[in-house]
Amino acid sequence: MPSKNANNTSAPCKRIRGARCFSATLDYSLPVLRIGPVQLDSPLLLAPIAGHTDIAFRILCREQGGVGAAYTDLLNSRAILKETERTLDLARTNEFDQPAGMQLYGNSDDPLPEAAIWAVDHGAKIIDINMGCPVDKVAKKSGGSLLLRDCGNTTMLAKRIVDAVTRHTNGRVPVTAKMRLGWDPEHKVAPILARALADIGIAAVTVHARYTVQFFSGSADWNAIGEVVEAVPDIPVIGNGDVTLPEHVTKIMQMSGCTGVMIGRGALRTPWLFRQAKTLLDTGTAGPEPLLGAKLDVVLRHLDLSKEYDGEERALTRMRQHISWYGKTMGHVKPIKESIRLATTFDDAKAVLLAARAEFTDFDFPAVALSRTRHDPHIPTVQHDFLDLTCRNQSSE
Ligand SMILES: Cc1cc2nc3c(=O)[nH]c(=O)nc-3n(C[C@H](O)[C@H](O)[C@H](O)COP(=O)(O)O)c2cc1C
């Protein structure tokens, strides 16, 4: 967790490319992130998070501002070519979701080059190869993180994908790789694998700074990303892992020298994090934390976007799954979460959110204030009303 993250110690600005530096004493200039021919407006990327980063959520984050690119969930190359309903759904993109990255997984026996061409033809502006997924379903089939165990074969596979995409697009669409540091600490292959991949034309690498055996435990080792940066000075390295606050973006860049930062779980809680972090990179001061009313607006927008893309039933299911992530940033909103979970229709869920939002039309305050309401006898009445209201909604379900 951020508060315990060993990376949060103040570290010297030791690996800096060009004139960019994020120490308090130097210029806060926005780093430029260019992935092959694709110039991004921001060096901040939304990570693929299977089950969460569907088109509605990607567009939500983009609308909040600060997102340079966003990726689909990992896509199975065989399922892509069969055009299964589920995969077509996961691969959906449109003009509001650009530049779109599509992430593929598989191994040397899978039709990854063909799937990459399919992805390009269906809107991908960046093709990413998953080399980091630790879950059995992927790694047991020799994809994902298992690619870290045989760097030679993995490089040959990546070359076939790069060659196919380059031929198909005249070099217009870059191919990137997303990896962990290695399978375990005895096999920290990320620097040598990244070097080999850069040599065959991979345009950028993202490094989730954990080992496969860690899954998501422990802290991401932001310093270790610096070893990859040193190994591949000719392509961008995108740092990833445990970035949940705007200040983490400058810290991970400062500690590793990476030129881009990818954010996953932090975005599930706070889709506005990209905007805040980009403001920090632009100006040296993080953009303000949205007030509770504004956060509820984001949740409402997410619900509406989900309905637009997936219909009411799935929008409700998605919001039931996602509301706990939002709840983590809003203080004591358990009654809202419970009401959403108990809602049986889209309209019920929306009514809960609208009722909560109505409490904040004239009087708004930072969400953290809400967490004090139950202990502070001097709170404004509106806060009691808010809690009462959400409790009423819950009991009426
Ligand atoms: C539920 C879940 C699903 C994920 N799905 C993917 C995926 O489809 N592809 C991928 O490369 N990484 C996936 N990841 C890893 C994230 O992209 C990211 O590397 C990791 O969560 C660390 O970044 P964070 O601390 O910002 O979340 C997933 C992570 C989680 C928690």
Side-chain angles (χ1 to χ4, degrees):
M1 299 307 292
S3 57
K4 294 180 189 154
N5 194 331
N7 294 314
N8 289 340
T9 55
S10 73
C13 186
K14 56 181 182 180
R15 292 188 184 91
I16 300 297
R17 280 188 185 174
R20 292 184 297 277
C21 186
F22 299 95
S23 80
T25 52
L26 291 179
D27 179 29
Y28 281 87
S29 58
L30 187 66
V32 172
L33 180 56
R34 189 183 175 90
I35 299 181
V38 179
Q39 175 69 59
L40 303 184
D41 291 339
S42 161
L44 308 173
L45 294 87
L46 173 63
I49 298 268
H52 289 277
T53 48
D54 56 14
I55 185 168
F57 187 73
R58 296 197 302 271
I59 290 176
L60 179 79
C61 290
R62 290 177 189 277
E63 285 180 353
Q64 295 301 303
V67 175
Y71 292 81
T72 62
D73 292 16
L74 75 180
L75 307 170
N76 179 297
S77 54
R78 291 184 190 275
I80 280 185
L81 295 176
K82 279 189 198 147
E83 299 200 331
T84 64
E85 196 181 331
R86 170 97 183 114
T87 305
L88 287 179
D89 184 40
L90 290 174
R92 255 183 315 167
T93 185
N94 65 17
E95 70 270 31
F96 305 113
D97 181 35
Q98 295 301 324
M102 289 196 196
Q103 190 190 60
L104 311 178
Y105 78 93
N107 62 46
S108 304
D109 298 329
D110 289 320
L112 277 159
E114 295 80 359
I117 287 171
W118 182 98
V120 168
D121 291 343
H122 289 77
K125 299 291 184 294
I126 301 169
I127 298 293
D128 189 62
I129 311 171
N130 183 311
M131 301 184 183
C133 185
V135 303
D136 279 357
K137 192 177 160 208
V138 174
K140 273 211 171 134
K141 289 185 184 155
S142 313
S145 252
L146 216 68
L147 297 182
L148 300 174
R149 303 200 78 161
D150 186 347
C151 294
N153 250 327
T154 298
T155 305
M156 284 194 287
L157 170 63
K159 182 170 178 354
R160 287 200 288 121
I161 300 170
V162 169
D163 289 350
V165 172
T166 305
R167 257 196 318 273
H168 188 66
T169 67
N170 277 330
R172 221 175 7 91
V173 174
V175 180
T176 61
K178 180 166 179 283
M179 63 180 71
R180 290 187 174 225
L181 294 172
W183 186 266
D184 57 35
E186 285 71 50
H187 301 91
K188 193 198 275 185
V189 298
I192 53 161
L193 178 58
R195 182 63 263 155
L197 293 173
D199 288 341
I200 57 90
I202 286 287
V205 290
T206 302
V207 182
H208 174 192
R210 282 188 174 83
Y211 296 93
T212 304
V213 291
Q214 285 183 275
F215 279 73
F216 293 91
S217 66
S219 300
D221 181 358
W222 293 345
N223 267 317
I225 299 169
E227 295 172 40
V228 182
V229 172
E230 280 168 11
V232 289
D234 44 338
I235 61 169
V237 174
I238 298 157
N240 169 242
D242 299 349
V243 173
T244 56
L245 294 171
E247 298 74 30
H248 292 169
V249 168
T250 48
K251 185 68 76 181
I252 192 173
M253 286 177 154
Q254 185 186 91
M255 288 176 72
S256 69
C258 65
T259 37
V261 177
M262 183 178 273
I263 303 175
R265 290 163 296 172
L268 300 186
R269 286 185 204 117
T270 53
W272 48 85
L273 175 58
F274 301 94
R275 178 181 70 234
Q276 286 183 287
K278 184 155 184 288
T279 306
L280 177 61
L281 291 171
D282 280 338
T283 66
T285 307
E289 175 81 2
L291 301 174
L292 181 57
K295 289 182 177 181
L296 286 167
D297 283 341
V298 174
V299 181
L300 275 159
R301 178 68 182 146
H302 188 179
L303 190 66
D304 283 340
L305 279 167
S306 291
K307 176 184 166 183
E308 193 179 324
Y309 285 98
D310 294 312
E312 292 192 353
E313 203 174 314
R314 270 181 66 186
L316 176 62
T317 309
R318 280 291 156 98
M319 187 50 69
R320 283 200 198 117
Q321 291 163 347
H322 205 110
I323 191 68
S324 293
W325 288 96
Y326 288 133
K328 292 179 207 297
T329 72
M330 293 191 192
H332 289 299
V333 288
K334 202 170 168 194
I336 298 185
K337 291 195 286 180
E338 287 304 310
S339 300
I340 297 282
R341 285 208 202 94
L342 293 171
T344 51
T345 66
F346 175 90
D347 287 341
D348 283 351
K350 188 157 180 177
V352 169
L353 292 170
L354 283 172
R357 180 64 184 97
E359 293 290 306
F360 298 98
T361 46
D362 298 319
F363 174 61
D364 215 336
F365 51 86
V368 283
L370 193 64
S371 62
R372 285 188 227 116
T373 57
R374 285 180 181 160
H375 314 290
D376 184 351
H378 306 295
I379 49 173
T381 315
V382 67
Q383 298 183 36
H384 284 303
D385 289 345
F386 170 71
L387 291 170
D388 289 349
L389 176 88
T390 51
C391 289
R392 274 202 305 278
N393 277 334
Q394 183 188 7
S395 56
S396 68
E397 289 300 327

